[in-house]
Amino acid sequence: MSLDEEFNAAAERIKTMTKRPNDEEFLELYALFKQANMGDNNTSKPSLFDLKAKAKWEWWNKQKNKSQDEAKKEYIAFVERMMSKYA
């Protein structure tokens, strides 16, 4: 299976979790997914008043300079850990 196929399978698999990960785990999943699909965050930082968007932006920004392939590998491994914890 190619890296892209593994990544897409992991993205589908995470949707089957029966429990929600904690906020930090969710933000890590989000950030790795965005980095894997979009690359470095080059969007404007959201308003200080939009706490949810600001948190997501900051977590994605922490992934800066990580290759998309590396982010896909980390996402796949993270999904495996989350599935064993929350499935």
Side-chain angles (χ1 to χ4, degrees):
M1 193 181 304
S2 75
L3 181 58
D4 286 337
E5 289 170 332
E6 283 186 62
F7 175 77
N8 290 331
E12 287 302 311
R13 188 166 181 231
I14 199 71
K15 295 175 186 176
T16 67
M17 282 192 314
T18 57
K19 298 176 189 154
R20 188 183 188 283
N22 68 40
D23 289 343
E24 285 191 1
E25 291 166 336
F26 184 78
L27 287 166
E28 182 73 16
L29 278 170
Y30 170 82
L32 288 169
F33 184 85
K34 291 293 276 189
Q35 187 70 18
N37 280 301
M38 310 281 293
D40 287 346
N41 181 355
N42 57 13
T43 61
S44 300
K45 190 172 186 175
S47 163
L48 291 173
F49 300 108
D50 190 347
L51 298 177
K52 184 177 179 180
K54 183 176 172 266
K56 289 167 83 174
W57 186 93
E58 288 173 347
W59 276 78
W60 180 15
N61 208 47
K62 289 180 190 178
Q63 303 297 324
K64 194 168 239 157
N65 298 321
K66 183 176 290 176
S67 75
Q68 287 178 274
D69 282 351
E70 186 60 32
K72 286 177 184 177
K73 290 174 188 172
E74 288 185 29
Y75 180 86
I76 293 163
F78 197 75
V79 166
E80 290 303 315
R81 289 193 305 276
M82 292 299 94
M83 292 306 293
S84 66
K85 188 174 179 180
Y86 295 111

